[in-house]
Amino acid sequence: MRFPRFLAVRNCRKRSSRSFALGLVAGVLSLVLFGGSLMIISLQNGLAQFKERLGADIIVLPREAQQQGRLEGVLVQGIPANFYMEDSCLAVLRRMPGVERATPQFFLASANSECCSVPVQIIGFDPATDFTIQPWIHESFSGSVGQGDILVGSGISVHHDRMIKFYNIPCRVVGRLNPTGTGMDTAVYTDMDTIRTMMKNATDLNFDYFKDVPAERAISAVLLKTAEGFSPEAMAEAINQEYPQLTAKPAHGMISSVGQGLGGITGTIGVLLFMVWLLSAIILVVAFRMVVNERRREFAILLVAGATRGMLVRIVLLESLLVCAIGAAIGIFAGSAVILPFAGMIKTSLARPYLLPDAVSILLLAAGAFFVTVVSGALSAAWTVRLVADSDVGMILREDG
């Protein structure tokens, strides 16, 4: 086994330009396989996290907010927005048959001025009734959220003093939430009392967010959990018919809206992966066929000198494994250097939830791409070298003079 290994390494070094070209094909194949698979899994993870974090069966908004698609902008893309309705709507919705739980949420965009440290979306919740945000909070924070306390999404940087100012209210960062791959990662979360104070200060500072709705009575959304036996679709339709100033939407409908086009994106990436693999396999087969044809006399001399046909196959296989392994490793490293640091930019450009898998999954994905690339190269080499190994040695030597 030492002689085939020695000869394979020697041939790779001696024919460096050929080895570089074959390694480049293997590198492109591994980069696309790893990068494309990672993007598909990240998109699927993001949508699953968005579905889990939404938490409610029905979401009720002011009609103008739904018409402008502002909630999807806040939750998916992290676009700050302000929209409000009076809190009397909450009491009305709670009395509806089929409503098991109802909780308000408050959306307040911080200002890009001296009264605020950073322009972000602030989301307020009622700790007494909330059933959507607090389960997420408890995954990473075990304490209680008091007056002036805030929690930040995973995409927000915090100063060492852990203090942020919103509408001249100093707030203490008490925790950081787990990532979701959505716009919720760039938002700030606080309780109802704190955001009510912010809303009052915003009004005092002449920010005209609330229009005809008094700031002390303004809420942005009502999230409903339906009782057993009641259909979210039917209840949402009933709310839309009975309260024209509101718009109710089943949560799974919003998930479908957010996921619209996701199948097209993942399908396109999947087709690209297959086409790149097929094209790379064809290129490797053609390349190894050309290499083997150029080395027919070399192989024939080795056979005359006593080498077995199996040894020829091992030599070429070792060459292909060495070249493809190095190329695949470089391709995976390049894919990691492009995709992992710029996940936020990819999420923004796709305008879809996008959440990278954990480190173990990424390593397994890299190992899979490496294995497929190396095996594809080895099979291409093995198939072509068999053509020479099975040929007549005397005929090869006569043909080559």
Side-chain angles (χ1 to χ4, degrees), residues 93 123 129-130:
L93 293 170
I123 300 178
T129 61
D130 176 73

Side-chain angles (χ1 to χ4, degrees), residues 1-261:
M1 187 65 182
R2 291 182 180 179
F3 178 70
R5 187 188 307 137
F6 166 77
L7 203 56
V9 174
R10 178 178 173 276
N11 286 334
C12 289
R13 289 177 176 174
K14 185 177 180 180
R15 298 175 173 85
S16 57
S17 58
R18 184 196 69 200
S19 300
F20 174 79
L22 292 174
L24 181 63
V25 175
V28 171
L29 175 59
S30 64
L31 186 152
V32 174
L33 287 176
F34 173 70
S37 301
L38 185 58
M39 288 184 65
I40 290 176
I41 292 174
S42 298
L43 286 166
Q44 294 171 341
N45 283 350
L47 188 61
Q49 281 292 318
F50 179 73
K51 181 179 180 180
E52 181 179 346
R53 298 304 175 205
L54 209 52
D57 295 323
I58 301 173
I59 301 174
V60 183
L61 306 170
R63 181 161 294 278
E64 62 270 16
Q66 180 60 31
Q67 289 172 345
Q68 298 173 24
R70 291 186 179 180
L71 184 61
E72 288 88 344
V74 170
L75 299 182
V76 179
Q77 301 178 48
I79 301 173
N82 300 293
F83 47 86
Y84 303 99
M85 57 188 174
E86 290 197 17
D87 57 5
S88 58
C89 299
L90 174 61
V92 170
L93 293 170
R94 279 177 172 160
R95 291 195 296 266
M96 287 189 65
V99 174
E100 180 179 319
R101 303 175 71 179
T103 187
Q105 283 190 359
F106 310 80
F107 297 148
L108 178 64
S110 64
N112 189 12
S113 65
E114 292 182 0
C115 67
C116 298
S117 302
V118 59
V120 294
Q121 181 70 56
I122 308 168
I123 300 178
F125 61 94
D126 180 4
T129 61
D130 176 73
F131 57 89
T132 62
I133 294 178
Q134 290 189 115
W136 179 25
I137 291 175
H138 293 156
E139 292 179 6
S140 56
F141 178 69
S142 58
S144 59
V145 182
Q147 178 74 29
D149 292 343
I150 60 174
L151 294 104
V152 298
S154 62
I156 294 182
S157 299
V158 180
H159 294 296
H160 62 88
D161 61 359
R162 303 185 69 81
M163 297 297 294
I164 302 179
K165 182 176 66 174
F166 295 117
Y167 297 103
N168 291 332
I169 299 175
C171 299
R172 181 176 63 258
V173 178
V174 297
R176 181 181 296 276
L177 302 179
N178 292 332
T180 67
T182 69
M184 292 184 278
D185 293 338
T186 56
V188 169
Y189 302 84
T190 189
D191 68 353
M192 184 168 63
D193 293 337
T194 302
I195 201 166
R196 285 285 195 200
T197 306
M198 293 180 187
M199 293 163 72
K200 180 182 181 301
N201 280 19
T203 302
D204 295 341
L205 291 168
N206 297 319
F207 289 99
D208 186 22
Y209 296 148
F210 308 100
K211 299 180 181 178
D212 298 330
V213 180
E216 65 275 8
R217 298 185 58 190
I219 61 175
S220 299
V222 177
L223 281 67
L224 304 177
K225 177 75 72 174
T226 58
E228 186 176 354
F230 287 83
S231 165
E233 292 84 357
M235 288 194 63
E237 183 63 28
I239 294 171
N240 290 330
Q241 291 181 358
E242 190 168 350
Y243 305 103
Q245 76 276 20
L246 305 177
T247 179
K249 188 173 184 179
H252 68 77
M254 180 177 292
I255 294 168
S256 299
S257 176
V258 172
Q260 187 176 12

